Amino acid sequence: MTPADLSMTVLRAVRRAVDENALRAPVPARVRVERTRPGGRGDYASAVALQLAGPAALSAREVAEILRERVAGAPGIGRVEITGPGFLNFTLDASADAYGALLSRVREQGLRYGHGDALAGDPLRFSHAHEVRAAVTADAVGRLARAQGARVHIGCDGAPDPDWARLGVTVEAGDPLPAEIRPVPAGATAGELLRRLGPDATRWGLLRPAGHDRAPLGDDLLVQGEANALFLVRYAHSRVHALTHGAALLGFASAPGRAPTGTGADALLALLADHPAALLAAARHRAPDRIARHLEAVARALLDFHDAVSPLPVGDEKPSAAHRSRLALAEAAGTVLAGGLSLLGISAPRHL
C-alpha cells in the first residue's frame, strides 16, 4: 500500500463515518499521511482527527476512535493505533497479500459478501405511502436491512395494489403505522410501468434516484447502451461470465493469489473493499439509491480495468499467473454486481 492508497483509505473512512452520522463534519478534499517520526508507532501517521475535532464538536481522540473502527481491517492495513491527543498511527499489512485475501473472501461468501449482523436484534417496523415508488423503496430497504441481520416488518397505509406483487413487493399484515417512507411519487401506477418497462427497469428507475428527487421513468431505461446505467451494470456482470467461459475454453481458471495492481485494478479493488460499508450505510439510511450508484461505479471500474489489461490471453500469449489473478478480480466484481442487484430486487442475467 502506497501513501496515496493509505490517504484514500482514511478519506473513505471519513466519508463512511459522515454517511453513518457517526461524525458530523465536512469531508476534507484529501487526508495527509506521513512517515512516522522517530519514537512514533507504525509506518505512517495522520493528524486528520485533530483537523476534524472542532467542526465535529468532539475531542480529537473521540474522532480518532470513530475513524480507527472504520480503517481497521481494510485491505493493506495491519494495525491502527491512537497516540497523543488523537494521532492515528498505521502499521501496514506485511503478511499475505491483503488484496488477494479480499478476493478470496468475495469468492468464499459469494452473493452474501457484504452481508453482516450490524443490525441484528433490531426490530424494524415501518410503513410506506400507498404509491408504487414508496412500495418498491420500502421493499428494497427491507432487503438491505435483513442482509444486515435486522428483523423487518413493512406495512402500508392502505390496501396493497395487486400489481405490486409483480414487482416483488410483499406487504405484511399488522397494525397500521405512520407512513415513514414517502419518496417523490412516480406519477404512474405499477401496472402502467410494468406494461411499458417491465419489472427490472421499473425497479431500477424507481430506486436509482434519491427519494427526494423525481424518478425519470422514460423509455431510455430500456436502451441497450452504456448511457443507460442499468444496462451498464448488467452488461458488466454478463461480461464477467463471458470471460470465465472464455478462460475455460482456453483451459485455465481464476486464482486469487496476489491481486493485480495498477492499470485500473487499484480503483476496482477499493470499490470491492467498500462494498460491505456501502450496504450497511444504505440499510441504516434507508437509501437504496446508494447501492445503485455504488454498482454503477463498480461496473465502470470493471470495464476500465478490462479495457486496460485483458483477463484473457491476447494473440500469441499463453495463460499466465497474471491472467488468472486478473480473472479473479473480474469475477469478484461480477459477484458484487450480482449481489447488489439481488438486494435491489433486480435480476442479473448471464447473457444480454
Side-chain angles (χ1 to χ4, degrees):
M1 173 176 280
T2 67
D5 294 332
L6 177 57
S7 175
M8 288 301 299
T9 296
V10 180
L11 183 59
R12 285 194 295 271
V14 174
R15 289 200 185 102
R16 189 180 310 160
V18 171
D19 286 345
E20 296 172 0
N21 286 330
L23 187 64
R24 297 185 178 181
V27 178
R30 62 185 293 271
V31 169
R32 182 180 178 182
V33 298
E34 56 185 15
R35 279 287 185 184
T36 304
R37 296 175 184 177
R41 297 181 186 176
D43 301 307
Y44 291 93
S46 175
V48 64
L50 283 74
Q51 175 187 345
L52 297 175
L58 298 171
S59 71
R61 286 195 71 89
E62 288 176 310
V63 175
E65 284 288 353
I66 291 170
L67 298 181
R68 185 186 65 80
E69 293 175 1
R70 290 160 175 79
V71 175
I77 302 292
R79 186 169 65 253
V80 185
E81 300 173 272
I82 301 172
T83 58
F87 292 101
L88 286 165
N89 297 262
F90 309 98
T91 301
L92 302 186
D93 187 352
S95 57
D97 174 21
Y99 280 147
L102 169 64
L103 298 189
S104 296
R105 189 160 65 252
V106 176
R107 172 175 286 194
E108 291 167 5
Q109 297 178 5
L111 298 183
R112 292 186 59 81
Y113 171 64
H115 293 208
D117 58 3
L119 302 182
D122 291 356
L124 300 183
R125 291 176 54 83
F126 58 89
S127 183
H128 60 80
H130 189 269
E131 187 270 334
V132 62
R133 188 180 182 193
V136 170
T137 301
D139 175 74
V141 170
R143 293 169 188 251
L144 289 165
R146 292 185 186 101
Q148 300 302 321
R151 292 180 288 114
V152 182
H153 179 279
I154 304 172
C156 177
D157 64 0
D161 181 335
D163 285 326
W164 292 353
R166 295 166 58 199
L167 287 168
V169 174
T170 300
V171 179
E172 302 171 41
D175 296 333
L177 299 169
E180 300 175 57
I181 295 184
R182 290 183 175 276
V184 175
T189 67
E192 292 168 345
L193 293 173
L194 284 163
R195 283 191 294 275
R196 187 161 54 84
L197 299 173
D200 285 335
T202 294
R203 284 190 70 105
W204 180 271
L206 295 172
L207 294 173
R208 170 58 180 82
H212 56 264
D213 292 330
R214 185 180 63 84
L217 296 166
D219 292 343
D220 52 343
L221 287 166
L222 300 176
V223 171
Q224 302 291 291
E226 291 190 14
N228 176 5
L230 174 59
F231 173 82
L232 177 77
V233 171
R234 297 170 93 188
Y235 170 74
H237 171 262
S238 68
R239 184 65 191 138
V240 170
H241 285 281
L243 291 172
T244 300
H245 179 67
L249 293 177
L250 293 173
F252 77 98
S254 64
R258 288 191 61 86
T261 58
T263 58
D266 291 342
L268 180 54
L269 282 160
L271 286 166
L272 301 188
D274 276 349
H275 185 62
L279 293 182
L280 178 56
R284 281 180 166 160
H285 292 278
R286 301 184 180 181
D289 57 285
R290 295 187 180 204
I291 298 305
R293 290 195 296 273
H294 177 69
L295 296 181
E296 287 179 52
V298 171
R300 293 188 188 282
L302 169 60
L303 294 175
D304 288 345
F305 167 70
H306 173 277
D307 291 345
V309 284
S310 175
L312 299 183
V314 178
D316 295 333
E317 286 184 325
K318 300 296 184 183
S320 66
H323 293 114
R324 293 183 179 89
S325 64
R326 293 172 193 166
L327 182 59
L329 175 54
E331 288 177 345
T335 297
V336 165
L337 293 174
L341 286 172
S342 176
L343 287 173
L344 295 179
I346 298 171
S347 67
R350 293 193 172 202
H351 307 286
L352 285 181

